[in-house]
Amino acid sequence: MQKDISIIIPVCNDASTIGETIDKVLDFFELEKLDGEIIIVNDGGQRNGVEIVKEKMFDSDKIRLIDRQINKGKGFSVREGVMMAEGKTIFYTDADLPYGTEYMALMRKKLVNGESDLILANRDMAGEGGMKKAPFTRKITHILYSIFVGALVVKFSDTQAGLKGMTKELGKSIVSQLVIDGFAFDVELIFLAKKMGYKIGEVPVVLKHSGKSNLKIIFDSPRMIKDILKIVWRYRIGFYKNK
């Protein structure tokens, strides 16, 4: 039976937060009266986090686990989750639930009523408060990356916020084509959805807290830039398929 919503949460070394995150998402399902599922994707993380997820699974049949011992990256993990998802709407978010759950209700409404096929959380739309709790280095990286992405790929000011939702149709048709395993996965998704004519919406969000990020600026930034250039090149040679 098709579910109302699937929420994909990639984890790596997130034992300190994943238990509380699962509880909050389950409370969200109950509050909104949704038949939902949580898909946890262990991206080669430590076993203590996996054990916490397994303990939660004893108490709820709404939790599913992909337990992979090799680290493949955020993009790879989200793709795995989307391919498993049974929800009419599919979301993915970070393990520490940086934007809470309340924005998901509004984002889901826009997907269900046909206003959007892909919906993005956007910290810039919330003004100065959107990233108030982010570290200074992350704010600077966000600004520079947004300028670079906007110049080459898509004119969205915030492609990297850790909360996005999509219809099942978009998820199954587009995500299966994506090939970037790292953090530039989000840009590849948005770029392809726009090129294929899907409706993309945005919702202003405020970062509630800034937990430990798996993004290593010095190591990952060059790779992200390289991946962005690959997206443009792949599209020009016809690598991606249309709807």
Side-chain angles (χ1 to χ4, degrees):
M1 181 178 178
Q2 190 174 43
K3 298 184 178 297
D4 297 317
I5 186 171
S6 300
I7 298 180
I8 300 160
I9 306 176
V11 299
C12 190
N13 298 319
D14 300 287
S16 63
T17 59
I18 191 58
E20 183 180 359
T21 290
I22 290 173
D23 290 341
K24 288 181 178 179
V25 174
L26 291 175
D27 289 344
F28 168 71
F29 290 163
E30 185 174 354
L31 179 66
E32 296 293 326
K33 297 180 173 55
L34 296 172
D35 180 15
E37 63 177 357
I38 306 171
I39 301 176
I40 306 293
V41 184
N42 177 41
D43 188 20
Q46 296 174 351
R47 303 311 300 170
N48 54 347
V50 174
E51 293 307 315
I52 292 172
V53 175
K54 288 182 177 179
E55 288 176 9
K56 294 291 183 182
M57 293 173 73
F58 280 114
D59 299 324
S60 175
D61 61 358
K62 297 181 182 298
I63 305 168
R64 305 169 74 184
L65 172 65
I66 299 174
D67 187 9
R68 177 168 28 79
Q69 297 188 26
I70 299 174
N71 182 271
K72 294 284 191 177
K74 175 187 174 182
F76 191 99
S77 299
V78 172
R79 288 201 303 273
E80 280 187 311
V82 170
M83 292 302 102
M84 177 186 279
E86 298 178 354
K88 297 175 185 176
T89 56
I90 302 171
F91 284 76
Y92 64 92
T93 189
D94 296 336
D96 59 347
L97 211 63
Y99 306 97
T101 58
E102 58 265 37
Y103 296 114
M104 292 183 189
L106 174 60
M107 294 168 78
R108 180 180 174 274
K109 182 178 179 180
K110 291 179 178 293
L111 295 171
V112 171
N113 67 17
E115 185 177 339
S116 301
D117 302 304
L118 175 65
I119 189 81
L120 317 176
N122 189 314
R123 295 162 291 186
D124 295 332
M125 292 173 66
E128 292 184 3
M131 291 190 69
K132 184 177 181 180
K133 295 186 178 182
F136 178 74
T137 53
R138 192 179 300 182
K139 292 178 182 177
I140 295 299
T141 303
H142 166 68
I143 292 171
L144 295 177
Y145 189 67
S146 297
I147 293 172
F148 179 76
V149 170
L152 286 180
V153 189
V154 287
K155 300 291 185 182
F156 291 93
S157 66
D158 190 2
T159 60
Q160 298 306 115
L163 175 61
K164 294 177 177 64
M166 66 194 81
T167 62
K168 182 177 182 180
E169 192 275 330
L170 182 146
K172 300 298 184 180
S173 65
I174 286 187
V175 175
S176 61
Q177 295 192 54
L178 306 185
V179 294
I180 291 178
D181 294 337
F183 292 99
F185 162 87
D186 298 276
V187 177
E188 188 181 27
L189 170 63
I190 298 167
F191 175 78
L192 199 55
K194 185 179 182 201
K195 288 296 184 181
M196 289 190 178
Y198 284 101
K199 292 176 287 186
I200 304 175
E202 298 177 280
V203 168
V205 300
V206 174
L207 182 67
K208 293 181 175 296
H209 60 88
S210 180
K212 175 181 68 68
S213 174
N214 290 320
L215 175 65
K216 305 297 185 292
I217 294 174
I218 295 177
F219 175 78
D220 289 314
S221 295
R223 179 183 174 186
M224 292 170 72
I225 292 171
K226 184 178 179 181
D227 283 341
I228 297 302
L229 296 175
K230 284 183 178 179
I231 293 170
V232 177
W233 176 74
R234 287 181 181 128
Y235 182 76
R236 288 179 177 175
I237 66 171
F239 177 86
Y240 303 109
K241 299 177 184 178
N242 290 320
K243 284 186 186 180

